[in-house]
Amino acid sequence: MKDFSKELGFKTSRSSGAGGQNVNKVETSVTVLWNVAESEFFNENQKELIHNKLKNRINTEGFLFLNVSESRTQLANKNKAIEKILELVDQALVIPKKRLATKPSKGQKQKRLDTKKKLSDKKENRKFRY
């Protein structure tokens, strides 16, 4: 995992939800912003991969946004936001393995045919004969 936290920008705002008077006067919600295109930590291919996988979180100016307001303190929310954005980008850089098509073995084919034959014989024996 690459630590590009030096390139992150932060905005604070008032959180919503429970917290009493604290919510009304303290800016504890943290929004972390990161300009994907201008990052020095990733090459062009990685930036394109990040942009494609996280396009629903990136705005028109090319900033990746993440809002965190889980904790009642700004510092805890800031740390959580850094952790989440690093994890998000790390997951976006994972390239899934291609699935290799496999064929059933001879034993599996024979077993399937044997069970079909047994079921067929069982049903054949149920028929009423005169």
Side-chain angles (χ1 to χ4, degrees):
M1 180 189 293
K2 290 187 178 181
D3 186 16
F4 55 92
S5 55
K6 292 176 183 76
E7 295 182 346
L8 300 176
F10 299 95
K11 281 186 191 175
T12 58
S13 60
R14 292 192 184 133
S15 272
S16 62
Q21 292 176 356
N22 192 53
V23 171
N24 300 330
K25 61 183 180 181
V26 181
E27 295 193 348
T28 57
S29 180
V30 175
T31 302
V32 63
L33 329 130
W34 177 53
N35 193 339
V36 179
E38 301 207 356
S39 176
E40 296 174 2
F41 282 87
F42 299 101
N43 61 35
E44 291 305 315
N45 294 336
Q46 291 173 323
K47 288 179 191 177
E48 190 174 325
L49 194 62
I50 292 167
H51 200 280
N52 289 340
K53 286 197 179 176
L54 300 175
K55 62 184 165 197
N56 59 337
R57 291 180 175 264
I58 297 174
N59 68 3
T60 53
E61 289 124 31
F63 283 95
L64 176 64
F65 276 87
L66 186 69
N67 193 26
V68 177
S69 59
E70 294 173 7
S71 176
R72 288 184 62 172
T73 64
Q74 191 181 97
L75 185 62
N77 282 334
K78 184 177 178 181
N79 292 335
K80 192 74 171 172
I82 293 170
E83 182 182 313
K84 280 187 174 186
I85 201 163
L86 291 176
E87 188 176 314
L88 195 66
V89 170
D90 195 41
Q91 287 175 355
L93 290 173
V94 172
I95 301 170
K97 292 181 182 176
K98 296 230 188 294
R99 185 187 177 281
L100 296 175
T102 57
K103 294 181 180 178
S105 67
K106 285 183 183 178
Q108 287 174 325
K109 286 181 186 176
Q110 191 60 47
K111 185 178 178 183
R112 182 180 58 85
L113 293 174
D114 289 343
T115 55
K116 282 178 74 169
K117 181 69 176 151
K118 279 183 185 177
L119 194 60
S120 173
D121 290 343
K122 186 195 303 184
K123 290 186 176 189
E124 186 68 32
N125 290 335
R126 289 180 189 160
K127 288 185 180 175
F128 181 73
R129 294 190 180 92
Y130 290 101

